[in-house]
Amino acid sequence: RAPLVPGFVLGFLAAVLVRSTGLLPDVVTDTAQQLTTILFVAAMFALGTGVDVPRLARTARRPLVLGAAGAVAVSGIGLAAVLLLAP
């Protein structure tokens, strides 16, 4: 039976509570932020290396086009938001 609340949600809430107390020194939060960026980039790289694009193009053209269109749309919306909201 699956847990009512997944463990990562509880971990995220615990991290939010610890961070919001202000008890962590700036060096810890700065290091955590850099580590988060590095791990996120590593995860995206790992996902990208696992994709066999020629096989995907042969077997699933519609999902490939949909994924590409979604990526372009999300990137465009993100860029527009940055350009509109940046001072």
Side-chain angles (χ1 to χ4, degrees), residues 46-85:
L47 284 172
T49 58
V51 174
D52 184 6
V53 176
R55 180 176 173 212
L56 184 62
R58 281 193 316 271
T59 59
R61 290 182 197 261
R62 289 182 71 188
L64 181 62
V65 170
L66 182 61
V72 169
V74 168
S75 298
I77 291 169
L79 177 61
V82 167
L83 293 175
L84 288 173
L85 298 175

Side-chain angles (χ1 to χ4, degrees), residues 10-37:
L10 296 176
F12 177 78
L13 291 174
V16 168
L17 289 173
V18 169
R19 174 70 170 104
S20 64
T21 62
L23 296 175
L24 294 175
D26 288 339
V27 69
V28 172
T29 56
D30 291 343
T31 303
Q33 186 175 8
Q34 291 175 354
L35 183 62
T36 299
T37 301

